[in-house]
Amino acid sequence: MTDGDYRHLYVVMEQEEGKLVPVSLEMLCEARRLMDDFNIKYSSKEKVVALLLGDGVKEISKDLIEHGADVVVLVDNPELRYVRNTIYTKLIAQIVTDQDVAAKIESVDVGNFKKPRYMFFAADSVGRHLSSTVMAELDSGLASDINKLVIEDLPLTHQIKTAGKPLIYEKTLEMYRPDFSGFLWTTILCLDNRNPTIERDYHPQACSIIPGVFETKEADSSRNGKVIEYSPRFDQKDLLVKILDRKIIKSEVDFDACKTIVSFGRGIKESPEENVKLIEQLASELDAEIGISLPLSKKPISINQTIDSKYFIPDRVIGSSGRKVSPKLYIAVGISGAIQHLAGMKDSEFVLAINPDENSPIKDECDMFIKGKMEDVLPLLIESLKTQKKVVQA
Ligand SMILES: Cc1cc2nc3c(=O)[nH]c(=O)nc-3n(C[C@H](O)[C@H](O)[C@H](O)COP(=O)(O)OP(=O)(O)OC[C@H]3O[C@@H](n4cnc5c(N)ncnc54)[C@H](O)[C@@H]3O)c2cc1C
């Protein structure tokens, strides 16, 4: 491999009916931060490239440049109005390996360009699917659900990768993901095989990024960038699946209408039915909607059918795989505070957590922590709210 084989950080944008999905700008701002450092430390020539596919989306390009893209590769075509995995996968793989596009990105001949150096996708329902199929097409690896990124030179000795010799892997993307409810961090690396017997490159180094974990910076209207319009080549057989109609089904759980949300997690497990009843009472006193953590939607606890079908449902899940909420008051009962859950509620104005374990990550994320079991704390809270209501009404 030569250094010119792999270049730039490509970020796959997501939009819905011509409006950017928030995680797109979050990824772009993080890409800018990383490449600002990269440009100082390694090379000023490599760019942040936003890939924007859709129908009638040209106007968005300006927004992308103002949020950090050096270049936008725009594919505006009626066939791309909605994401169809086969077409999107083929097109993205085509664009990011296209030498003409690469030449336009840098305005120079890039003779040996092969693939992107890095690639970002969103870790949502569209991006999770797309990232895996695009990376299969590009024959490289993928780290999913990432919430921290670092680029640096990494000294490494590995039996397989380096045949036991110490080597420096330059410009390596370290991709961090939270595991075991955020109690453990895993660092994922996508490294070339430098062992002469199994030599092989793995590029791009790619990941999907959890929505809500990176900040979107203010748009900078003084930024300049380039828009490259790409004419797609479709294979008719990829267009056989047509989207004839599309309905957005509004959830029956209306979190937006409530000032308070009471959410519960696996901490209910010791006496689930009694605990859910307590949570219902608390929510009723506060005129609150009820949310859950993701594991409960996978039915890990046996409970009566009425409670199960009312509460243990995907519609109530708060987090990166569920709903994003921003109430005035968020009460997390028996929830540890995994990063994926936090991504859904971190914009709440005030967070109260009830948990017996002071080492739970939620303790660092809340405004008030009540150390205790919900069985003990909730009855006191409910009683106190009832008393206060009587005082106010008197
Ligand atoms: C790709 C991916 C996406 C994910 N998306 C989401 C998502 O969108 N939303 C989400 O929530 N999770 C998501 N997760 C799962 C997430 O990583 C955590 O596993 C999950 O949030 C943990 O749920 P929990 O807090 O209910 O359970 P746990 O982590 O098991 O925590 C239970 C908590 O209850 C406390 N507790 C125990 N007994 C009591 C008691 N009697 N009273 C009060 N507290 C008690 C414990 O101290 C503990 O802190 C995702 C994971 C992955 C890998």
Side-chain angles (χ1 to χ4, degrees), residues 62-74:
K62 185 169 170 281
D63 214 12
L64 304 182
I65 291 167
E66 291 183 355
H67 281 91
D70 297 305
V71 177
V72 177
V73 180
L74 170 73

Side-chain angles (χ1 to χ4, degrees), residues 89 252 304 327 354:
T89 299
E252 282 173 21
N304 87 47
I354 301 167

